[in-house]
Amino acid sequence: MKAAIFVLAMGLAFAVACTPPQAANSPNGARASSISSDTTAQAPRGPKAAPVKSALARPEPRDFPYRDAPPVRLGMGHVTIEQIVHIARGGAPVRAEPASMDRLDRAHRLLLAAARKDIPIYGLNRGVGENKDKTIFQGDALSAEMKQASERFNAALLRAHSAGLGDNLPESTVRALMAIRLNTILAGHTGCQRIVAQMYIEFLNRHIHPLVPSIGSVGEADITVLPHIGLAMMGEGEVIRRGERMPASRALALEGLSPLKPYAKDALTITSSNAHSASLALMALHDAEQLLDSAEAIYALSLEGLNGNVAPMLPIAQDLQGYPEQSAAAARVRGYLAGSYLWQPDSARPLQDPLSFRDMSHLHGAARSAIEVARRSLTLQINQSDDNPAVILDVTAPADAPPAQRATYVAEGDVRGAVVPTANFEPVAWALPLQAVNVAFAHVSRASCYRTLKLSMNHFTGLTRFLAPDDTAIAFGAIQKPCGALDADIRTLANPVSLDFLPVAGDIEDQGTNAPLIAHRLRRIGERLAGVFGLELLHAAQAVDLRLRKNPSLPLGRSTARLHAAFRTHVAFLDKDRPLTPDIRASLEFVAGGHVLRALERD
């Protein structure tokens, strides 16, 4: 089984460190984070592997555990979300495919050839934004005078566009966005110098992490956030180098690196990309998916606490609709409940349970379908060019191309191609599916809260009111309010925000998606959802224990029995009234820390 990095941020109360669980091929059927050597660096196994800490915890982890692992190869067009997470949170090094670096050189030469023909090119010999009508230089960009003009423009572009605010991004997020931008640069359509890609590689492998503000992008190329990477490459601003905050100039000097002197299209390459938005999105999506794996096992234990009906999870019922993700969720629940008393007839068992129990596979199936759409779209984003303009190698103008189209094509020496304006920085193709995930998770949260409420009601469970251990205890009478508070917060965070933008840059940039905000909201939903699931687990375990007090020989499912036993090592049975805040926090930690999946993987 391959090691999976299970990391979930704890913004509610505390952060949790966790070792990578082994999820692939596990009996629970949960998705594993596939990590293989070379193409994806192999995660170390065994007791010597350091824990992977939350990327959103404060302070940030300084002990990236996989920094000495084999490098992740970029530039081949098929990097995975799990690989980016491995680079970001595990600290894995990177390596560029030699062929991709050769493409950079050829694209750069094609760009310069276009400049020599004095073809107006955005961000090269013309300005950017509303300043697209300003001429930066005319003629050969390699002439001394023109190169100086280009270098001045490039440095000014990076400085003027460094315009963010808010807390600095976590180092892991900075690593993710640098890895993503490096990979899209290596697609070969930017026209930048080879040294730009090499600087990204050096920063990642030497653990030089620029300080980058977290707020400033409206999700239409992160042009006020990403330039801070370029500043650091020039020796300006600040970085964290191997855990120590320092001026970027000092970090470069300590590593023996020369400051970057951007020219031609280098600054626009660094500035104009959705790498920041994509980094937030893919890590939030990665965590959300693994959280859902835990939630399905918790649901199975809740069903045992309720003495619920397993009929809605049967294949014969699921096959009537044929939604694959829904059927898979039901299959996992059946697997968790293998050997459970629920498979035996019980005259006291209701014919039908509340919808929050019956509909679980439908809700989780819909959430996983939304995740899969977002995952596919994000995977395309991190592997393809989002550059404007794009340098396209080895193409010639169609024979019937009109003059305006022919004007974008260039041929000089051994390079030929076109420099074409694009709108490929538009991330709506993955921002909308990501927004759908937020809505889906709000449905999942509401159902979990309702299950928690039902477990505390004696007319649904046949147990004591509020799962009290005796007639004198108050037990879980007040604990429902934190659940309601979390769910209300999740409901608010799930509200769509992709249309909430203003026209900027002199009204020429009149489209936006708020992709970073959508991703931030997914992360925050995940943080709160861990608390919702923790509260459900707290109730499910109490209900199961009350049933076991009545019938000690009552068999639980093989997987749910392991989950129940593992949880009880963190939170004790409520045998009398006590402060519940520590229990709530411990339950949240149990879920967020990956303990649910690890319990299921034990033999």
Side-chain angles (χ1 to χ4, degrees):
M1 293 186 290
K2 297 183 180 179
I5 303 173
F6 183 88
V7 184
L8 191 59
M10 289 295 305
L12 293 169
F14 40 76
V16 181
C18 62
T19 54
Q22 295 177 330
N25 301 323
S26 61
N28 62 0
R31 180 189 294 272
S33 296
S34 302
I35 297 174
S36 59
S37 62
D38 204 21
T39 299
T40 307
Q42 179 69 35
R45 299 189 181 196
K48 292 184 180 180
V52 181
K53 298 181 181 178
S54 167
L56 297 165
R58 298 293 189 270
E60 267 284 292
R62 306 300 185 201
D63 54 344
F64 293 100
Y66 305 140
R67 60 191 305 165
D68 297 322
V72 176
R73 295 165 60 190
L74 302 179
M76 298 186 296
H78 49 72
V79 71
T80 66
I81 288 175
E82 285 72 27
Q83 285 176 299
I84 297 297
V85 172
H86 193 50
I87 294 167
R89 293 176 174 165
V94 299
R95 187 179 81 188
E97 277 296 291
S100 64
M101 296 296 273
D102 292 340
R103 282 197 302 272
L104 290 187
D105 289 336
R106 295 179 62 230
H108 182 61
R109 287 193 285 125
L110 182 67
L111 187 72
L112 298 184
R116 280 189 286 273
K117 291 183 64 175
D118 204 26
I119 297 174
I121 297 175
Y122 184 85
L124 174 66
N125 51 21
R126 299 296 186 270
V128 297
E130 194 177 16
N131 290 327
K132 65 186 182 302
D133 57 351
K134 289 189 175 182
T135 299
I136 308 305
F137 65 86
Q138 290 180 305
D140 192 350
L142 289 177
S143 70
E145 182 181 356
M146 296 303 101
K147 188 170 184 179
Q148 287 177 2
S150 180
E151 287 176 348
R152 286 194 300 270
F153 168 71
N154 273 255
L157 190 152
L158 289 172
R159 291 167 183 149
H161 283 72
S162 294
L165 69 159
D167 294 337
N168 291 320
L169 292 172
E171 290 183 67
S172 53
T173 304
V174 174
R175 288 186 62 81
L177 70 84
M178 288 197 295
I180 291 168
R181 187 49 180 149
L182 171 61
N183 194 55
T184 57
I185 286 173
L186 292 173
H189 300 297
T190 67
C192 71
Q193 300 180 84
R194 172 189 285 250
I195 187 60
V196 174
Q198 191 60 47
M199 288 295 280
Y200 279 99
I201 294 170
E202 297 291 355
F203 272 38
L204 285 165
N205 292 349
R206 296 172 186 263
H207 286 250
I208 301 172
H209 306 145
L211 297 189
V212 179
S214 57
I215 300 174
S217 172
V218 297
E220 201 76 7
D222 307 311
I223 63 173
T224 58
V225 176
L226 296 179
H228 294 82
I229 305 296
L231 287 184
M233 290 177 176
M234 293 195 300
E236 301 179 16
E238 291 184 288
V239 303
I240 295 175
R241 172 186 174 267
R242 300 179 188 177
E244 181 182 355
R245 181 169 174 167
M246 63 180 67
S249 57
R250 179 166 177 252
L252 295 179
L254 289 171
E255 294 292 341
L257 298 173
S258 298
L260 176 68
K261 289 186 177 181
Y263 93 110
K265 197 169 162 282
D266 294 348
L268 189 60
T269 294
I270 295 168
T271 298
S272 183
S273 167
N274 291 296
H276 163 60
S277 299
S279 68
L280 298 173
L282 71 82
M283 290 201 291
L285 194 67
H286 173 272
D287 292 347
E289 192 168 11
Q290 298 209 4
L291 180 61
L292 207 57
D293 292 340
S294 296
E296 290 171 355
I298 293 169
Y299 163 80
L301 190 67
S302 290
L303 200 62
E304 290 182 311
L306 182 73
N307 187 22
N309 198 318
V310 295
M313 301 296 152
L314 296 176
I316 193 172
Q318 293 290 322
D319 291 346
L320 293 176
Q321 288 197 307
Y323 292 114
E325 296 291 352
Q326 173 186 317
S327 296
R332 284 188 290 272
V333 171
R334 294 197 304 271
Y336 296 143
L337 291 173
S340 172
Y341 79 96
L342 294 181
W343 297 105
Q344 301 301 319
D346 184 349
S347 59
R349 185 174 298 140
L351 179 63
Q352 293 197 338
D353 298 325
L355 290 179
S356 55
F357 283 89
R358 273 189 279 161
D359 289 0
M360 172 270 164
S361 64
H362 299 68
L363 295 174
H364 281 227
R368 287 189 183 274
S369 294
I371 286 172
E372 191 57 36
V373 173
R375 169 181 276 272
R376 287 198 306 268
S377 300
L378 268 172
T379 300
L380 283 173
Q381 165 68 48
I382 65 178
N383 282 288
Q384 306 297 331
S385 166
D386 56 3
D387 293 286
N388 172 47
V391 181
I392 306 173
L393 289 166
D394 303 324
V395 294
T396 56
D400 58 348
Q405 183 180 353
R406 284 182 175 277
T408 63
Y409 286 82
V410 181
E412 183 179 284
D414 63 341
V415 294
R416 60 183 174 85
V419 183
V420 182
T422 80
N424 292 338
F425 50 82
E426 173 58 66
V428 69
W430 60 261
L432 294 186
L434 194 72
Q435 192 167 250
V437 174
N438 291 353
V439 175
F441 268 64
H443 282 277
V444 169
S445 171
R446 183 63 54 87
S448 176
C449 287
Y450 284 161
R451 290 194 296 270
T452 296
L453 295 177
K454 299 301 189 293
L455 286 171
S456 68
M457 298 178 185
N458 57 329
H459 56 282
F460 281 111
T461 63
L463 301 171
T464 54
R465 182 179 299 160
F466 301 129
L467 301 178
D470 54 48
D471 292 339
T472 64
I474 299 171
F476 292 159
I479 203 173
Q480 301 161 12
K481 292 176 174 60
C483 192
L486 290 171
D487 184 67
D489 203 2
I490 290 170
R491 170 66 183 84
T492 300
L493 290 168
N495 282 329
V497 294
S498 62
L499 289 170
D500 299 335
F501 58 85
L502 298 173
V504 295
D507 256 6
I508 194 170
E509 297 176 11
D510 55 358
Q511 166 63 15
T513 63
N514 282 318
L517 180 57
I518 296 170
H520 274 303
R521 286 186 166 210
L522 177 56
R523 173 184 62 81
R524 292 167 63 193
I525 286 171
E527 292 168 1
R528 287 146 183 78
L529 202 52
V532 170
F533 293 149
L535 285 164
E536 181 180 354
L537 177 58
L538 186 65
H539 282 69
Q542 183 78 5
V544 164
D545 279 326
L546 292 177
R547 293 195 183 282
L548 289 173
R549 288 209 310 186
K550 289 183 177 180
N551 181 5
S553 62
L554 192 71
L556 301 180
R558 287 188 290 274
S559 294
T560 52
R562 291 198 297 271
L563 171 58
H564 176 262
F567 181 66
R568 281 297 178 229
T569 66
H570 287 68
V571 179
F573 172 70
L574 187 73
D575 58 354
K576 61 182 178 180
D577 286 326
R578 62 176 184 251
L580 293 174
T581 297
D583 289 357
I584 296 171
R585 286 178 171 164
S587 300
L588 191 156
E589 176 186 354
F590 187 85
V591 174
H595 298 286
V596 173
L597 295 184
R598 284 201 292 277
L600 298 174
E601 290 155 6
R602 293 173 184 165
D603 294 328

